[in-house]
Amino acid sequence: MFDKILIANRGEIALRILRACRELGVQTVAVYTKVDTDLLHLRFADEIVCISEKSYLDANSMVVAAKNHGCEAIHPGYGFLAENADFAELTEAAGLSFIGPDAGTISSMGDKSNARVTAMTFGLKLVPGSNGAVENLAEAIPIADEVGYPLVVKAARGGGGRGIRMIMKNSEFEKAFTDAQAESLALSSNGEMYIEKFLDPVRHIEVQVMGDSAGNAIHLGSRECSLQRKHQKIMEEAPAVNIPEDDLQTLLDLSVKMAEGLGYRNAGTLEFLYQEGEFYFIEMNTRIQVEHPVTELVTGVDIVKEQLRIANGDVLTYKQEDIQIRGHAIECRINAEDPETFMPSPGTIEHYHPPGGPGVRVDTHVYQGYKVPPHYDSLIGKLIVHGENRDLALRRMSIALSEIVIDGIKTNIPLHQKLVTNAAFMAGGTDIHYLEDELGLK
Ligand code: ADP
């Protein structure tokens, strides 16, 4: 195993990675910025490095810090540099291991239009739409007419909701396409777009896969991520809810086939839209996901430790037959934001009390007195519960949400409280617009 690695991230995921390292006896170098000095994991890291004024995006500084501090590898976490192929390449070029897939895979899956074509070759269904990328409006208009409205235009190099527009009728196409393309150009200097039919109602289901450098690949089951606001996940579950077992098994098998066929190394997620018994591939995320703990709780696999082992060149600890899904897990993303307006709510946490009891896990970097800085994502933690079935998991979540205290800033805990006792959500199978439509949250 590595002796020392650099954690190129902040917040709860940096702490999560640090904990995995400590269990494996790996030393850690944690990074921070001048405006982000209170992070919990900085207290437990073996060494800490100030990386910049404010940004965690400087690939070069990360690699230089890793080299200067004698690291052998870099864990990128999620967000920031995690799906940046240039960063992976820079890391490897400096003689360090990148704890993730190789740069080529990140780049080819990061082009979502290309990923669609690849997924199709492995037998996965696609949302009906364009074949490959479209470069300009003149090329896009006839394709849009053929796909039919409503439709979605997406940037090939988009992500996190950027460069994406839902278009209801053709009179809106020109402006929406141009805006989405401009957004993509500003972010990635890439203007390639693609078009998909807008599916409604639809659910978001995903599959966790892992592969090693010896070419082995397995899945760790499914997740349900249909509770979203503005296409951003708010609550996730494992496994996916109320899906016929055979349909799900076919999806899991095809996902492993794709991971194997790609020679995929490390942890990855295949994302699908689910409608009327069919799964439609939308994208592959080539990194650890925010929602990975629900999978850890139902499989017993420590995904982050497994990531480190794979990057170290070890073969997967598990064979497919070792993976059994036990019970049900739910994760609530706790955001520092107004539960009604969704405006960010940075500031000092005056009181903090975590919930506890059987099957309750809290992944957070906050503590009493912690000051949530205004510069980064509003995610301040994740409350995750596990129970022998979904009913118990829902009940545990409801109890845990009533116990948790985070005072001094606003959080979305009241929204989660409403959701876990909502009859339609409790019954299972609500679609990706349920939260916005039924609860009147736009
Ligand atoms: P990003 O990578 O920016 O998150 P995705 O392609 O993963 O973009 O889509 C984000 C979300 O948008 C999905 O989880 C889903 O809620 C919604 N979405 C994406 N494509 C479609 C589609 N073709 N029809 C309906 N909803 C969609």
Side-chain angles (χ1 to χ4, degrees):
M1 183 44 69
F2 304 119
D3 286 327
K4 197 196 276 185
I5 73 156
L6 180 129
I7 302 169
N9 216 300
R10 67 177 299 280
E12 67 87 18
I13 193 65
L15 181 59
R16 171 74 190 86
I17 297 164
L18 181 129
R19 285 178 173 145
C21 290
R22 292 179 95 186
E23 284 187 23
L24 289 170
V26 175
Q27 297 220 332
T28 49
V29 177
V31 300
Y32 64 98
T33 70
K34 283 196 177 156
V35 295
D36 200 23
T37 55
D38 297 338
L39 295 161
L40 189 55
H41 77 294
L42 299 176
R43 303 183 188 188
F44 305 121
D46 295 290
E47 292 161 53
I48 60 172
V49 194
C50 182
I51 206 81
S52 81
E53 283 289 325
K54 220 193 244 184
S55 168
Y56 288 92
L57 285 167
D58 186 344
N60 227 10
S61 309
M62 292 286 186
V63 174
V64 169
K67 284 302 270 184
N68 286 347
H69 286 258
C71 296
E72 295 166 77
I74 298 183
H75 196 310
Y78 53 68
F80 296 125
L81 298 165
E83 284 177 294
N84 183 322
D86 292 342
F87 179 52
E89 204 166 284
L90 205 64
T91 303
E92 301 271 352
L96 304 167
S97 297
F98 181 76
I99 302 174
D102 60 87
T105 309
I106 297 174
S107 175
S108 80
M109 290 298 110
D111 178 336
K112 298 190 342 179
S113 157
N114 174 60
R116 271 168 62 85
V117 179
T118 309
M120 198 169 61
T121 64
F122 291 108
L124 291 166
K125 264 207 174 89
L126 305 182
V127 183
S130 54
N131 292 318
V134 292
E135 309 254 350
N136 55 52
L137 198 56
E139 213 183 311
I141 288 171
I143 296 172
D145 288 337
E146 203 184 308
V147 171
Y149 291 85
L151 54 78
V152 189
V153 61
K154 294 183 182 178
R157 294 259 167 212
R162 292 155 312 177
I164 179 168
R165 294 288 186 282
M166 314 291 155
I167 308 178
M168 292 301 140
K169 46 184 193 289
N170 65 0
S171 58
E172 295 168 1
F173 187 78
E174 188 168 332
K175 180 173 186 317
F177 180 92
T178 313
D179 287 355
Q181 191 173 41
E183 200 169 294
S184 175
L185 281 165
L187 281 164
S188 66
S189 315
N190 185 299
E192 286 185 337
M193 310 298 289
Y194 64 104
I195 294 166
E196 282 178 355
K197 186 131 192 78
F198 176 75
L199 301 181
D200 186 39
V202 78
R203 288 164 57 190
H204 178 120
I205 309 288
E206 57 188 35
V207 177
Q208 175 76 55
V209 292
M210 295 205 89
D212 62 25
S213 7
N216 304 302
I218 58 169
H219 70 75
L220 299 181
S222 61
R223 289 189 287 258
E224 171 89 38
C225 308
S226 298
L227 273 191
Q228 304 185 351
R229 179 179 163 269
K230 298 206 161 165
H231 302 296
Q232 299 303 311
K233 299 163 190 167
I234 286 198
M235 201 191 282
E236 302 95 343
E237 307 183 51
V241 183
N242 298 346
I243 299 209
E245 218 163 286
D246 288 355
D247 292 0
L248 198 53
Q249 193 55 51
T250 306
L251 182 77
L252 297 171
D253 292 343
L254 284 172
S255 300
V256 171
K257 208 170 117 196
M258 175 154 160
E260 230 163 37
L262 288 171
Y264 193 84
R265 189 188 72 200
N266 224 285
T269 299
L270 286 85
E271 296 194 330
F272 300 89
L273 297 180
Y274 178 66
Q275 186 182 55
E276 290 168 10
E278 299 285 355
F279 294 97
Y280 302 95
F281 173 86
I282 48 172
E283 66 171 331
M284 181 169 196
N285 289 320
T286 54
R287 55 170 165 80
I288 187 91
Q289 303 265 108
V290 175
E291 58 271 26
H292 75 275
V294 287
T295 299
E296 295 189 321
L297 293 185
V298 295
T299 59
V301 174
D302 184 318
I303 299 177
V304 180
K305 281 205 290 194
E306 201 59 14
Q307 284 193 292
L308 281 146
R309 292 195 192 100
I310 292 166
N312 187 52
D314 301 359
V315 293
L316 279 166
T317 314
Y318 305 90
K319 299 218 177 329
Q320 191 62 68
E321 57 268 28
D322 301 330
I323 305 301
Q324 303 292 333
I325 307 300
R326 291 205 176 79
H328 197 86
I330 305 178
E331 169 181 283
C332 288
R333 295 189 186 200
I334 311 291
N335 295 333
E337 66 189 18
D338 186 304
E340 291 189 353
T341 64
F342 299 97
M343 291 300 284
S345 176
T348 303
I349 295 178
E350 311 280 358
H351 295 287
Y352 172 66
H353 176 77
V360 177
R361 165 173 165 181
V362 183
D363 279 18
T364 183
H365 58 288
V366 309
Y367 47 87
Q368 195 149 308
Y370 175 79
K371 201 169 171 192
V372 179
H375 315 285
Y376 307 102
D377 195 273
S378 60
L379 182 79
I380 52 166
K382 303 179 313 204
L383 172 55
I384 313 115
V385 298
H386 183 222
E388 66 204 25
N389 53 47
R390 187 168 186 259
D391 284 347
L392 181 59
L394 281 167
R395 191 171 276 267
R396 281 207 168 133
M397 182 57 91
S398 180
I399 295 167
L401 285 165
S402 74
E403 286 180 19
I404 192 170
V405 177
I406 301 177
D407 282 346
I409 57 164
K410 290 179 181 168
T411 74
N412 62 349
I413 291 171
L415 171 64
H416 285 303
Q417 276 164 335
K418 238 190 274 178
L419 280 168
V420 290
T421 51
N422 174 278
F425 172 67
M426 288 172 83
T430 46
D431 75 293
I432 58 170
H433 295 293
Y434 180 76
L435 182 68
E436 293 169 341
D437 293 346
E438 299 297 313
L439 300 185
L441 302 168
K442 280 284 174 192

